[in-house]
Amino acid sequence: MRLIMIAPPGAGKGTQAKRLSDRYDHPHVETGDIIRTAIKNETTAGQKAKKYVDKGKLVPDEVVVELIEERIERPDCRQGFILDGFPRTLPQAEALDEMMQKHDLSLDAVLHLDVSNEEVTERLLARGRDDDTPEAIEQRLEEYRN
Ligand code: AMP
């Protein structure tokens, strides 16, 4: 099964994606985590991504698309995947369409979690990750709405 999760930051999409991943035994492809790992490992993609993540801005499409394509082409994704945090822009959605066509695959569902700005802001401030500052949160919500 191939599923996409769409939700504002802090809605609990990662938690729900993990549960689905366990239930269906498909990898949980967590875009933010893949990007943070690339930054930590100082890969070329990670070095390009860092300044955007720190400010709560979206990482350029070509950087994210390459990371995701590399991930979902691995053998463990052959039976399906739970995509969390991608696509987040129209060009990313188009790139995903192309990837699916290239491998003759289709998506089974898109789950949209709808949570108010007030609620997610409260949840993010309580979580306290490096990019969970009030300024970066506001920026991420703005990026999400766009
Ligand atoms: P998240 O863990 O989903 O909250 O993502 C953390 C940060 O990673 C975001 O604020 C962006 O800087 C970056 N990011 C995650 N997913 C994407 C994406 N699909 N496109 C661009 N940037 C992303």
Side-chain angles (χ1 to χ4, degrees), residues 9 13 30-33 35-36 52-53 56-59 61 64 85-88 92 127 129 131 140:
K13 133 178 86 65
E30 192 184 352
T31 316
D33 198 51
I35 295 171
R36 281 188 291 279
Y52 298 94
V53 175
K57 290 196 162 279
L58 289 180
V59 174
D61 289 329
V64 182
F86 182 95
R88 256 173 162 138
Q92 290 180 18
R127 182 175 74 174
R129 207 171 66 194
D131 58 343
R140 271 146 70 206

mmCIF file with all atom_site columns, all heavy atoms in Angstrom, residues 9 13 30-33 35-36 52-53 56-59 61 64 85-88 92 127 129 131 140, ligand 1:
data_model
loop_
_atom_site.group_PDB
_atom_site.id
_atom_site.type_symbol
_atom_site.label_atom_id
_atom_site.label_alt_id
_atom_site.label_comp_id
_atom_site.label_asym_id
_atom_site.label_entity_id
_atom_site.label_seq_id
_atom_site.pdbx_PDB_ins_code
_atom_site.Cartn_x
_atom_site.Cartn_y
_atom_site.Cartn_z
_atom_site.occupancy
_atom_site.B_iso_or_equiv
_atom_site.pdbx_formal_charge
_atom_site.auth_seq_id
_atom_site.auth_comp_id
_atom_site.auth_asym_id
_atom_site.auth_atom_id
_atom_site.pdbx_PDB_model_num
ATOM   1   N N   . PRO A 1 9   ? 2.672  21.019 10.504 1.00 0.00 ? 9   PRO A N   1
ATOM   2   C CA  . PRO A 1 9   ? 3.672  20.563 11.468 1.00 0.00 ? 9   PRO A CA  1
ATOM   3   C C   . PRO A 1 9   ? 3.052  20.505 12.861 1.00 0.00 ? 9   PRO A C   1
ATOM   4   O O   . PRO A 1 9   ? 2.267  21.385 13.230 1.00 0.00 ? 9   PRO A O   1
ATOM   5   C CB  . PRO A 1 9   ? 4.774  21.639 11.405 1.00 0.00 ? 9   PRO A CB  1
ATOM   6   C CG  . PRO A 1 9   ? 4.229  22.774 10.616 1.00 0.00 ? 9   PRO A CG  1
ATOM   7   C CD  . PRO A 1 9   ? 3.075  22.271 9.821  1.00 0.00 ? 9   PRO A CD  1
ATOM   8   N N   . LYS A 1 13  ? 1.245  13.827 12.694 1.00 0.00 ? 13  LYS A N   1
ATOM   9   C CA  . LYS A 1 13  ? 1.291  13.007 11.481 1.00 0.00 ? 13  LYS A CA  1
ATOM   10  C C   . LYS A 1 13  ? 2.374  11.936 11.568 1.00 0.00 ? 13  LYS A C   1
ATOM   11  O O   . LYS A 1 13  ? 2.176  10.816 11.128 1.00 0.00 ? 13  LYS A O   1
ATOM   12  C CB  . LYS A 1 13  ? 1.434  13.978 10.313 1.00 0.00 ? 13  LYS A CB  1
ATOM   13  C CG  . LYS A 1 13  ? 2.433  13.740 9.256  1.00 0.00 ? 13  LYS A CG  1
ATOM   14  C CD  . LYS A 1 13  ? 2.340  14.835 8.190  1.00 0.00 ? 13  LYS A CD  1
ATOM   15  C CE  . LYS A 1 13  ? 3.144  16.087 8.496  1.00 0.00 ? 13  LYS A CE  1
ATOM   16  N NZ  . LYS A 1 13  ? 4.582  15.942 8.546  1.00 0.00 ? 13  LYS A NZ  1
ATOM   17  N N   . GLU A 1 30  ? 10.001 9.380  6.492  1.00 0.00 ? 30  GLU A N   1
ATOM   18  C CA  . GLU A 1 30  ? 9.783  10.649 7.185  1.00 0.00 ? 30  GLU A CA  1
ATOM   19  C C   . GLU A 1 30  ? 10.745 11.696 6.612  1.00 0.00 ? 30  GLU A C   1
ATOM   20  O O   . GLU A 1 30  ? 11.935 11.700 6.925  1.00 0.00 ? 30  GLU A O   1
ATOM   21  C CB  . GLU A 1 30  ? 10.039 10.424 8.682  1.00 0.00 ? 30  GLU A CB  1
ATOM   22  C CG  . GLU A 1 30  ? 9.570  11.558 9.527  1.00 0.00 ? 30  GLU A CG  1
ATOM   23  C CD  . GLU A 1 30  ? 9.925  11.368 11.001 1.00 0.00 ? 30  GLU A CD  1
ATOM   24  O OE1 . GLU A 1 30  ? 10.413 10.281 11.389 1.00 0.00 ? 30  GLU A OE1 1
ATOM   25  O OE2 . GLU A 1 30  ? 9.743  12.337 11.756 1.00 0.00 ? 30  GLU A OE2 1
ATOM   26  N N   . THR A 1 31  ? 10.188 12.573 5.803  1.00 0.00 ? 31  THR A N   1
ATOM   27  C CA  . THR A 1 31  ? 11.029 13.515 5.052  1.00 0.00 ? 31  THR A CA  1
ATOM   28  C C   . THR A 1 31  ? 11.906 14.382 5.959  1.00 0.00 ? 31  THR A C   1
ATOM   29  O O   . THR A 1 31  ? 13.103 14.517 5.715  1.00 0.00 ? 31  THR A O   1
ATOM   30  C CB  . THR A 1 31  ? 10.143 14.420 4.173  1.00 0.00 ? 31  THR A CB  1
ATOM   31  O OG1 . THR A 1 31  ? 9.175  13.596 3.554  1.00 0.00 ? 31  THR A OG1 1
ATOM   32  C CG2 . THR A 1 31  ? 10.959 15.135 3.125  1.00 0.00 ? 31  THR A CG2 1
ATOM   33  N N   . GLY A 1 32  ? 11.291 14.967 7.002  1.00 0.00 ? 32  GLY A N   1
ATOM   34  C CA  . GLY A 1 32  ? 12.057 15.841 7.894  1.00 0.00 ? 32  GLY A CA  1
ATOM   35  C C   . GLY A 1 32  ? 13.230 15.089 8.516  1.00 0.00 ? 32  GLY A C   1
ATOM   36  O O   . GLY A 1 32  ? 14.339 15.621 8.640  1.00 0.00 ? 32  GLY A O   1
ATOM   37  N N   . ASP A 1 33  ? 12.990 13.841 8.867  1.00 0.00 ? 33  ASP A N   1
ATOM   38  C CA  . ASP A 1 33  ? 14.022 13.035 9.501  1.00 0.00 ? 33  ASP A CA  1
ATOM   39  C C   . ASP A 1 33  ? 15.153 12.711 8.513  1.00 0.00 ? 33  ASP A C   1
ATOM   40  O O   . ASP A 1 33  ? 16.332 12.737 8.863  1.00 0.00 ? 33  ASP A O   1
ATOM   41  C CB  . ASP A 1 33  ? 13.379 11.743 10.014 1.00 0.00 ? 33  ASP A CB  1
ATOM   42  C CG  . ASP A 1 33  ? 14.247 11.060 11.031 1.00 0.00 ? 33  ASP A CG  1
ATOM   43  O OD1 . ASP A 1 33  ? 14.656 11.748 11.984 1.00 0.00 ? 33  ASP A OD1 1
ATOM   44  O OD2 . ASP A 1 33  ? 14.543 9.867  10.853 1.00 0.00 ? 33  ASP A OD2 1
ATOM   45  N N   . ILE A 1 35  ? 16.003 14.532 6.016  1.00 0.00 ? 35  ILE A N   1
ATOM   46  C CA  . ILE A 1 35  ? 16.753 15.784 5.836  1.00 0.00 ? 35  ILE A CA  1
ATOM   47  C C   . ILE A 1 35  ? 17.660 16.037 7.046  1.00 0.00 ? 35  ILE A C   1
ATOM   48  O O   . ILE A 1 35  ? 18.839 16.377 6.887  1.00 0.00 ? 35  ILE A O   1
ATOM   49  C CB  . ILE A 1 35  ? 15.784 16.980 5.624  1.00 0.00 ? 35  ILE A CB  1
ATOM   50  C CG1 . ILE A 1 35  ? 15.012 16.799 4.310  1.00 0.00 ? 35  ILE A CG1 1
ATOM   51  C CG2 . ILE A 1 35  ? 16.541 18.307 5.625  1.00 0.00 ? 35  ILE A CG2 1
ATOM   52  C CD1 . ILE A 1 35  ? 13.883 17.801 4.094  1.00 0.00 ? 35  ILE A CD1 1
ATOM   53  N N   . ARG A 1 36  ? 17.125 15.820 8.266  1.00 0.00 ? 36  ARG A N   1
ATOM   54  C CA  . ARG A 1 36  ? 17.957 16.054 9.475  1.00 0.00 ? 36  ARG A CA  1
ATOM   55  C C   . ARG A 1 36  ? 19.147 15.095 9.506  1.00 0.00 ? 36  ARG A C   1
ATOM   56  O O   . ARG A 1 36  ? 20.245 15.495 9.905  1.00 0.00 ? 36  ARG A O   1
ATOM   57  C CB  . ARG A 1 36  ? 17.109 15.909 10.747 1.00 0.00 ? 36  ARG A CB  1
ATOM   58  C CG  . ARG A 1 36  ? 16.259 17.147 11.048 1.00 0.00 ? 36  ARG A CG  1
ATOM   59  C CD  . ARG A 1 36  ? 15.575 17.056 12.404 1.00 0.00 ? 36  ARG A CD  1
ATOM   60  N NE  . ARG A 1 36  ? 14.521 16.030 12.418 1.00 0.00 ? 36  ARG A NE  1
ATOM   61  C CZ  . ARG A 1 36  ? 13.289 16.224 11.949 1.00 0.00 ? 36  ARG A CZ  1
ATOM   62  N NH1 . ARG A 1 36  ? 12.939 17.386 11.436 1.00 0.00 ? 36  ARG A NH1 1
ATOM   63  N NH2 . ARG A 1 36  ? 12.394 15.256 11.981 1.00 0.00 ? 36  ARG A NH2 1
ATOM   64  N N   . TYR A 1 52  ? 17.908 26.358 5.470  1.00 0.00 ? 52  TYR A N   1
ATOM   65  C CA  . TYR A 1 52  ? 16.453 26.446 5.323  1.00 0.00 ? 52  TYR A CA  1
ATOM   66  C C   . TYR A 1 52  ? 15.759 25.855 6.545  1.00 0.00 ? 52  TYR A C   1
ATOM   67  O O   . TYR A 1 52  ? 14.830 26.434 7.097  1.00 0.00 ? 52  TYR A O   1
ATOM   68  C CB  . TYR A 1 52  ? 15.998 25.700 4.063  1.00 0.00 ? 52  TYR A CB  1
ATOM   69  C CG  . TYR A 1 52  ? 16.580 26.281 2.803  1.00 0.00 ? 52  TYR A CG  1
ATOM   70  C CD1 . TYR A 1 52  ? 17.756 25.775 2.248  1.00 0.00 ? 52  TYR A CD1 1
ATOM   71  C CD2 . TYR A 1 52  ? 15.962 27.367 2.175  1.00 0.00 ? 52  TYR A CD2 1
ATOM   72  C CE1 . TYR A 1 52  ? 18.294 26.320 1.093  1.00 0.00 ? 52  TYR A CE1 1
ATOM   73  C CE2 . TYR A 1 52  ? 16.501 27.924 1.025  1.00 0.00 ? 52  TYR A CE2 1
ATOM   74  C CZ  . TYR A 1 52  ? 17.669 27.393 0.487  1.00 0.00 ? 52  TYR A CZ  1
ATOM   75  O OH  . TYR A 1 52  ? 18.198 27.940 -0.646 1.00 0.00 ? 52  TYR A OH  1
ATOM   76  N N   . VAL A 1 53  ? 16.214 24.675 6.959  1.00 0.00 ? 53  VAL A N   1
ATOM   77  C CA  . VAL A 1 53  ? 15.585 24.003 8.103  1.00 0.00 ? 53  VAL A CA  1
ATOM   78  C C   . VAL A 1 53  ? 15.690 24.878 9.352  1.00 0.00 ? 53  VAL A C   1
ATOM   79  O O   . VAL A 1 53  ? 14.713 25.047 10.087 1.00 0.00 ? 53  VAL A O   1
ATOM   80  C CB  . VAL A 1 53  ? 16.237 22.621 8.355  1.00 0.00 ? 53  VAL A CB  1
ATOM   81  C CG1 . VAL A 1 53  ? 15.680 21.985 9.618  1.00 0.00 ? 53  VAL A CG1 1
ATOM   82  C CG2 . VAL A 1 53  ? 16.002 21.705 7.158  1.00 0.00 ? 53  VAL A CG2 1
ATOM   83  N N   . GLY A 1 56  ? 13.044 27.369 9.361  1.00 0.00 ? 56  GLY A N   1
ATOM   84  C CA  . GLY A 1 56  ? 11.667 26.906 9.185  1.00 0.00 ? 56  GLY A CA  1
ATOM   85  C C   . GLY A 1 56  ? 11.192 27.073 7.755  1.00 0.00 ? 56  GLY A C   1
ATOM   86  O O   . GLY A 1 56  ? 9.998  27.031 7.474  1.00 0.00 ? 56  GLY A O   1
ATOM   87  N N   . LYS A 1 57  ? 12.147 27.263 6.842  1.00 0.00 ? 57  LYS A N   1
ATOM   88  C CA  . LYS A 1 57  ? 11.754 27.415 5.428  1.00 0.00 ? 57  LYS A CA  1
ATOM   89  C C   . LYS A 1 57  ? 11.839 26.065 4.729  1.00 0.00 ? 57  LYS A C   1
ATOM   90  O O   . LYS A 1 57  ? 12.545 25.165 5.174  1.00 0.00 ? 57  LYS A O   1
ATOM   91  C CB  . LYS A 1 57  ? 12.707 28.384 4.728  1.00 0.00 ? 57  LYS A CB  1
ATOM   92  C CG  . LYS A 1 57  ? 12.535 29.812 5.193  1.00 0.00 ? 57  LYS A CG  1
ATOM   93  C CD  . LYS A 1 57  ? 13.196 30.755 4.206  1.00 0.00 ? 57  LYS A CD  1
ATOM   94  C CE  . LYS A 1 57  ? 12.716 32.165 4.349  1.00 0.00 ? 57  LYS A CE  1
ATOM   95  N NZ  . LYS A 1 57  ? 11.469 32.488 3.719  1.00 0.00 ? 57  LYS A NZ  1
ATOM   96  N N   . LEU A 1 58  ? 11.105 25.958 3.615  1.00 0.00 ? 58  LEU A N   1
ATOM   97  C CA  . LEU A 1 58  ? 11.165 24.702 2.870  1.00 0.00 ? 58  LEU A CA  1
ATOM   98  C C   . LEU A 1 58  ? 12.511 24.584 2.161  1.00 0.00 ? 58  LEU A C   1
ATOM   99  O O   . LEU A 1 58  ? 13.014 25.549 1.597  1.00 0.00 ? 58  LEU A O   1
ATOM   100 C CB  . LEU A 1 58  ? 10.043 24.645 1.833  1.00 0.00 ? 58  LEU A CB  1
ATOM   101 C CG  . LEU A 1 58  ? 8.634  24.464 2.375  1.00 0.00 ? 58  LEU A CG  1
ATOM   102 C CD1 . LEU A 1 58  ? 7.625  24.433 1.236  1.00 0.00 ? 58  LEU A CD1 1
ATOM   103 C CD2 . LEU A 1 58  ? 8.532  23.170 3.192  1.00 0.00 ? 58  LEU A CD2 1
ATOM   104 N N   . VAL A 1 59  ? 13.060 23.394 2.203  1.00 0.00 ? 59  VAL A N   1
ATOM   105 C CA  . VAL A 1 59  ? 14.303 23.078 1.506  1.00 0.00 ? 59  VAL A CA  1
ATOM   106 C C   . VAL A 1 59  ? 13.982 23.059 -0.001 1.00 0.00 ? 59  VAL A C   1
ATOM   107 O O   . VAL A 1 59  ? 12.875 22.643 -0.376 1.00 0.00 ? 59  VAL A O   1
ATOM   108 C CB  . VAL A 1 59  ? 14.810 21.697 2.002  1.00 0.00 ? 59  VAL A CB  1
ATOM   109 C CG1 . VAL A 1 59  ? 16.011 21.228 1.218  1.00 0.00 ? 59  VAL A CG1 1
ATOM   110 C CG2 . VAL A 1 59  ? 15.108 21.766 3.500  1.00 0.00 ? 59  VAL A CG2 1
ATOM   111 N N   . ASP A 1 61  ? 13.151 22.261 -3.729 1.00 0.00 ? 61  ASP A N   1
ATOM   112 C CA  . ASP A 1 61  ? 12.524 21.041 -4.244 1.00 0.00 ? 61  ASP A CA  1
ATOM   113 C C   . ASP A 1 61  ? 13.525 20.005 -4.756 1.00 0.00 ? 61  ASP A C   1
ATOM   114 O O   . ASP A 1 61  ? 13.403 18.825 -4.448 1.00 0.00 ? 61  ASP A O   1
ATOM   115 C CB  . ASP A 1 61  ? 11.549 21.398 -5.385 1.00 0.00 ? 61  ASP A CB  1
ATOM   116 C CG  . ASP A 1 61  ? 10.314 22.104 -4.869 1.00 0.00 ? 61  ASP A CG  1
ATOM   117 O OD1 . ASP A 1 61  ? 9.900  21.819 -3.725 1.00 0.00 ? 61  ASP A OD1 1
ATOM   118 O OD2 . ASP A 1 61  ? 9.759  22.943 -5.604 1.00 0.00 ? 61  ASP A OD2 1
ATOM   119 N N   . VAL A 1 64  ? 15.123 17.928 -1.984 1.00 0.00 ? 64  VAL A N   1
ATOM   120 C CA  . VAL A 1 64  ? 14.198 17.005 -1.312 1.00 0.00 ? 64  VAL A CA  1
ATOM   121 C C   . VAL A 1 64  ? 13.793 15.864 -2.250 1.00 0.00 ? 64  VAL A C   1
ATOM   122 O O   . VAL A 1 64  ? 13.762 14.697 -1.851 1.00 0.00 ? 64  VAL A O   1
ATOM   123 C CB  . VAL A 1 64  ? 12.927 17.759 -0.845 1.00 0.00 ? 64  VAL A CB  1
ATOM   124 C CG1 . VAL A 1 64  ? 11.992 16.838 -0.110 1.00 0.00 ? 64  VAL A CG1 1
ATOM   125 C CG2 . VAL A 1 64  ? 13.304 18.926 0.036  1.00 0.00 ? 64  VAL A CG2 1
ATOM   126 N N   . GLY A 1 85  ? 5.357  13.942 5.084  1.00 0.00 ? 85  GLY A N   1
ATOM   127 C CA  . GLY A 1 85  ? 6.051  15.221 4.869  1.00 0.00 ? 85  GLY A CA  1
ATOM   128 C C   . GLY A 1 85  ? 6.482  15.467 3.435  1.00 0.00 ? 85  GLY A C   1
ATOM   129 O O   . GLY A 1 85  ? 7.223  16.404 3.160  1.00 0.00 ? 85  GLY A O   1
ATOM   130 N N   . PHE A 1 86  ? 6.034  14.661 2.532  1.00 0.00 ? 86  PHE A N   1
ATOM   131 C CA  . PHE A 1 86  ? 6.330  14.821 1.106  1.00 0.00 ? 86  PHE A CA  1
ATOM   132 C C   . PHE A 1 86  ? 5.166  14.275 0.314  1.00 0.00 ? 86  PHE A C   1
ATOM   133 O O   . PHE A 1 86  ? 4.685  13.197 0.664  1.00 0.00 ? 86  PHE A O   1
ATOM   134 C CB  . PHE A 1 86  ? 7.619  14.054 0.745  1.00 0.00 ? 86  PHE A CB  1
ATOM   135 C CG  . PHE A 1 86  ? 8.038  14.191 -0.702 1.00 0.00 ? 86  PHE A CG  1
ATOM   136 C CD1 . PHE A 1 86  ? 8.967  15.144 -1.082 1.00 0.00 ? 86  PHE A CD1 1
ATOM   137 C CD2 . PHE A 1 86  ? 7.490  13.359 -1.683 1.00 0.00 ? 86  PHE A CD2 1
ATOM   138 C CE1 . PHE A 1 86  ? 9.354  15.272 -2.414 1.00 0.00 ? 86  PHE A CE1 1
ATOM   139 C CE2 . PHE A 1 86  ? 7.867  13.491 -3.018 1.00 0.00 ? 86  PHE A CE2 1
ATOM   140 C CZ  . PHE A 1 86  ? 8.799  14.443 -3.379 1.00 0.00 ? 86  PHE A CZ  1
ATOM   141 N N   . PRO A 1 87  ? 4.675  14.899 -0.721 1.00 0.00 ? 87  PRO A N   1
ATOM   142 C CA  . PRO A 1 87  ? 5.103  16.194 -1.254 1.00 0.00 ? 87  PRO A CA  1
ATOM   143 C C   . PRO A 1 87  ? 4.538  17.366 -0.454 1.00 0.00 ? 87  PRO A C   1
ATOM   144 O O   . PRO A 1 87  ? 3.466  17.261 0.145  1.00 0.00 ? 87  PRO A O   1
ATOM   145 C CB  . PRO A 1 87  ? 4.510  16.182 -2.663 1.00 0.00 ? 87  PRO A CB  1
ATOM   146 C CG  . PRO A 1 87  ? 3.285  15.322 -2.561 1.00 0.00 ? 87  PRO A CG  1
ATOM   147 C CD  . PRO A 1 87  ? 3.585  14.301 -1.513 1.00 0.00 ? 87  PRO A CD  1
ATOM   148 N N   . ARG A 1 88  ? 5.286  18.477 -0.462 1.00 0.00 ? 88  ARG A N   1
ATOM   149 C CA  . ARG A 1 88  ? 4.841  19.676 0.243  1.00 0.00 ? 88  ARG A CA  1
ATOM   150 C C   . ARG A 1 88  ? 4.695  20.854 -0.700 1.00 0.00 ? 88  ARG A C   1
ATOM   151 O O   . ARG A 1 88  ? 4.315  21.939 -0.267 1.00 0.00 ? 88  ARG A O   1
ATOM   152 C CB  . ARG A 1 88  ? 5.864  20.036 1.314  1.00 0.00 ? 88  ARG A CB  1
ATOM   153 C CG  . ARG A 1 88  ? 5.417  19.665 2.721  1.00 0.00 ? 88  ARG A CG  1
ATOM   154 C CD  . ARG A 1 88  ? 6.569  19.896 3.671  1.00 0.00 ? 88  ARG A CD  1
ATOM   155 N NE  . ARG A 1 88  ? 6.145  19.975 5.029  1.00 0.00 ? 88  ARG A NE  1
ATOM   156 C CZ  . ARG A 1 88  ? 6.800  19.394 6.043  1.00 0.00 ? 88  ARG A CZ  1
ATOM   157 N NH1 . ARG A 1 88  ? 7.893  18.710 5.827  1.00 0.00 ? 88  ARG A NH1 1
ATOM   158 N NH2 . ARG A 1 88  ? 6.376  19.536 7.266  1.00 0.00 ? 88  ARG A NH2 1
ATOM   159 N N   . GLN A 1 92  ? 6.983  19.197 -6.117 1.00 0.00 ? 92  GLN A N   1
ATOM   160 C CA  . GLN A 1 92  ? 7.265  17.909 -5.462 1.00 0.00 ? 92  GLN A CA  1
ATOM   161 C C   . GLN A 1 92  ? 6.183  16.888 -5.815 1.00 0.00 ? 92  GLN A C   1
ATOM   162 O O   . GLN A 1 92  ? 6.467  15.712 -6.048 1.00 0.00 ? 92  GLN A O   1
ATOM   163 C CB  . GLN A 1 92  ? 7.349  18.067 -3.943 1.00 0.00 ? 92  GLN A CB  1
ATOM   164 C CG  . GLN A 1 92  ? 8.590  18.828 -3.484 1.00 0.00 ? 92  GLN A CG  1
ATOM   165 C CD  . GLN A 1 92  ? 8.658  18.976 -1.966 1.00 0.00 ? 92  GLN A CD  1
ATOM   166 O OE1 . GLN A 1 92  ? 7.996  18.264 -1.226 1.00 0.00 ? 92  GLN A OE1 1
ATOM   167 N NE2 . GLN A 1 92  ? 9.476  19.911 -1.507 1.00 0.00 ? 92  GLN A NE2 1
ATOM   168 N N   . ARG A 1 127 ? 7.016  20.448 22.387 1.00 0.00 ? 127 ARG A N   1
ATOM   169 C CA  . ARG A 1 127 ? 7.940  19.418 21.905 1.00 0.00 ? 127 ARG A CA  1
ATOM   170 C C   . ARG A 1 127 ? 9.391  19.895 22.014 1.00 0.00 ? 127 ARG A C   1
ATOM   171 O O   . ARG A 1 127 ? 10.275 19.149 22.428 1.00 0.00 ? 127 ARG A O   1
ATOM   172 C CB  . ARG A 1 127 ? 7.582  19.102 20.448 1.00 0.00 ? 127 ARG A CB  1
ATOM   173 C CG  . ARG A 1 127 ? 8.419  18.030 19.809 1.00 0.00 ? 127 ARG A CG  1
ATOM   174 C CD  . ARG A 1 127 ? 7.928  17.705 18.425 1.00 0.00 ? 127 ARG A CD  1
ATOM   175 N NE  . ARG A 1 127 ? 8.251  18.742 17.461 1.00 0.00 ? 127 ARG A NE  1
ATOM   176 C CZ  . ARG A 1 127 ? 8.021  18.639 16.162 1.00 0.00 ? 127 ARG A CZ  1
ATOM   177 N NH1 . ARG A 1 127 ? 7.430  17.579 15.689 1.00 0.00 ? 127 ARG A NH1 1
ATOM   178 N NH2 . ARG A 1 127 ? 8.350  19.609 15.336 1.00 0.00 ? 127 ARG A NH2 1
ATOM   179 N N   . ARG A 1 129 ? 11.879 20.847 19.698 1.00 0.00 ? 129 ARG A N   1
ATOM   180 C CA  . ARG A 1 129 ? 12.992 20.485 18.830 1.00 0.00 ? 129 ARG A CA  1
ATOM   181 C C   . ARG A 1 129 ? 13.755 21.770 18.476 1.00 0.00 ? 129 ARG A C   1
ATOM   182 O O   . ARG A 1 129 ? 13.234 22.866 18.680 1.00 0.00 ? 129 ARG A O   1
ATOM   183 C CB  . ARG A 1 129 ? 12.395 19.849 17.564 1.00 0.00 ? 129 ARG A CB  1
ATOM   184 C CG  . ARG A 1 129 ? 13.294 18.864 16.870 1.00 0.00 ? 129 ARG A CG  1
ATOM   185 C CD  . ARG A 1 129 ? 12.552 18.124 15.781 1.00 0.00 ? 129 ARG A CD  1
ATOM   186 N NE  . ARG A 1 129 ? 12.149 19.004 14.694 1.00 0.00 ? 129 ARG A NE  1
ATOM   187 C CZ  . ARG A 1 129 ? 11.271 18.667 13.755 1.00 0.00 ? 129 ARG A CZ  1
ATOM   188 N NH1 . ARG A 1 129 ? 10.690 17.487 13.790 1.00 0.00 ? 129 ARG A NH1 1
ATOM   189 N NH2 . ARG A 1 129 ? 10.953 19.506 12.801 1.00 0.00 ? 129 ARG A NH2 1
ATOM   190 N N   . ASP A 1 131 ? 14.227 23.375 15.803 1.00 0.00 ? 131 ASP A N   1
ATOM   191 C CA  . ASP A 1 131 ? 13.522 24.340 14.943 1.00 0.00 ? 131 ASP A CA  1
ATOM   192 C C   . ASP A 1 131 ? 12.111 24.639 15.469 1.00 0.00 ? 131 ASP A C   1
ATOM   193 O O   . ASP A 1 131 ? 11.282 25.180 14.751 1.00 0.00 ? 131 ASP A O   1
ATOM   194 C CB  . ASP A 1 131 ? 13.486 23.854 13.482 1.00 0.00 ? 131 ASP A CB  1
ATOM   195 C CG  . ASP A 1 131 ? 12.824 22.483 13.313 1.00 0.00 ? 131 ASP A CG  1
ATOM   196 O OD1 . ASP A 1 131 ? 12.687 21.756 14.325 1.00 0.00 ? 131 ASP A OD1 1
ATOM   197 O OD2 . ASP A 1 131 ? 12.452 22.145 12.182 1.00 0.00 ? 131 ASP A OD2 1
ATOM   198 N N   . ARG A 1 140 ? 6.888  27.963 9.459  1.00 0.00 ? 140 ARG A N   1
ATOM   199 C CA  . ARG A 1 140 ? 6.514  26.648 8.931  1.00 0.00 ? 140 ARG A CA  1
ATOM   200 C C   . ARG A 1 140 ? 5.012  26.553 8.672  1.00 0.00 ? 140 ARG A C   1
ATOM   201 O O   . ARG A 1 140 ? 4.572  25.938 7.705  1.00 0.00 ? 140 ARG A O   1
ATOM   202 C CB  . ARG A 1 140 ? 6.959  25.549 9.903  1.00 0.00 ? 140 ARG A CB  1
ATOM   203 C CG  . ARG A 1 140 ? 8.380  25.082 9.610  1.00 0.00 ? 140 ARG A CG  1
ATOM   204 C CD  . ARG A 1 140 ? 9.114  24.699 10.857 1.00 0.00 ? 140 ARG A CD  1
ATOM   205 N NE  . ARG A 1 140 ? 8.625  23.497 11.461 1.00 0.00 ? 140 ARG A NE  1
ATOM   206 C CZ  . ARG A 1 140 ? 8.747  23.233 12.770 1.00 0.00 ? 140 ARG A CZ  1
ATOM   207 N NH1 . ARG A 1 140 ? 9.310  24.102 13.583 1.00 0.00 ? 140 ARG A NH1 1
ATOM   208 N NH2 . ARG A 1 140 ? 8.306  22.104 13.239 1.00 0.00 ? 140 ARG A NH2 1
HETATM 209 P P1  . AMP B 2 .   ? 9.186  18.234 9.672  1.00 0.00 ? 1   AMP B P1  1
HETATM 210 O O1  . AMP B 2 .   ? 10.048 17.253 10.431 1.00 0.00 ? 1   AMP B O1  1
HETATM 211 O O2  . AMP B 2 .   ? 8.236  17.581 8.736  1.00 0.00 ? 1   AMP B O2  1
HETATM 212 O O3  . AMP B 2 .   ? 8.546  19.249 10.577 1.00 0.00 ? 1   AMP B O3  1
HETATM 213 O O4  . AMP B 2 .   ? 10.196 19.068 8.724  1.00 0.00 ? 1   AMP B O4  1
HETATM 214 C C1  . AMP B 2 .   ? 11.225 19.846 9.301  1.00 0.00 ? 1   AMP B C1  1
HETATM 215 C C2  . AMP B 2 .   ? 11.838 20.751 8.254  1.00 0.00 ? 1   AMP B C2  1
HETATM 216 O O5  . AMP B 2 .   ? 12.402 19.965 7.192  1.00 0.00 ? 1   AMP B O5  1
HETATM 217 C C3  . AMP B 2 .   ? 10.877 21.711 7.544  1.00 0.00 ? 1   AMP B C3  1
HETATM 218 O O6  . AMP B 2 .   ? 10.674 22.899 8.283  1.00 0.00 ? 1   AMP B O6  1
HETATM 219 C C4  . AMP B 2 .   ? 11.618 21.975 6.245  1.00 0.00 ? 1   AMP B C4  1
HETATM 220 O O7  . AMP B 2 .   ? 12.702 22.872 6.441  1.00 0.00 ? 1   AMP B O7  1
HETATM 221 C C5  . AMP B 2 .   ? 12.211 20.612 5.942  1.00 0.00 ? 1   AMP B C5  1
HETATM 222 N N1  . AMP B 2 .   ? 11.286 19.781 5.115  1.00 0.00 ? 1   AMP B N1  1
HETATM 223 C C6  . AMP B 2 .   ? 10.623 18.648 5.508  1.00 0.00 ? 1   AMP B C6  1
HETATM 224 N N2  . AMP B 2 .   ? 9.890  18.150 4.493  1.00 0.00 ? 1   AMP B N2  1
HETATM 225 C C7  . AMP B 2 .   ? 10.108 18.971 3.423  1.00 0.00 ? 1   AMP B C7  1
HETATM 226 C C8  . AMP B 2 .   ? 9.642  18.994 2.079  1.00 0.00 ? 1   AMP B C8  1
HETATM 227 N N3  . AMP B 2 .   ? 8.796  18.055 1.595  1.00 0.00 ? 1   AMP B N3  1
HETATM 228 N N4  . AMP B 2 .   ? 10.075 20.001 1.280  1.00 0.00 ? 1   AMP B N4  1
HETATM 229 C C9  . AMP B 2 .   ? 10.929 20.941 1.719  1.00 0.00 ? 1   AMP B C9  1
HETATM 230 N N5  . AMP B 2 .   ? 11.398 20.988 2.976  1.00 0.00 ? 1   AMP B N5  1
HETATM 231 C C10 . AMP B 2 .   ? 10.998 20.015 3.824  1.00 0.00 ? 1   AMP B C10 1
#
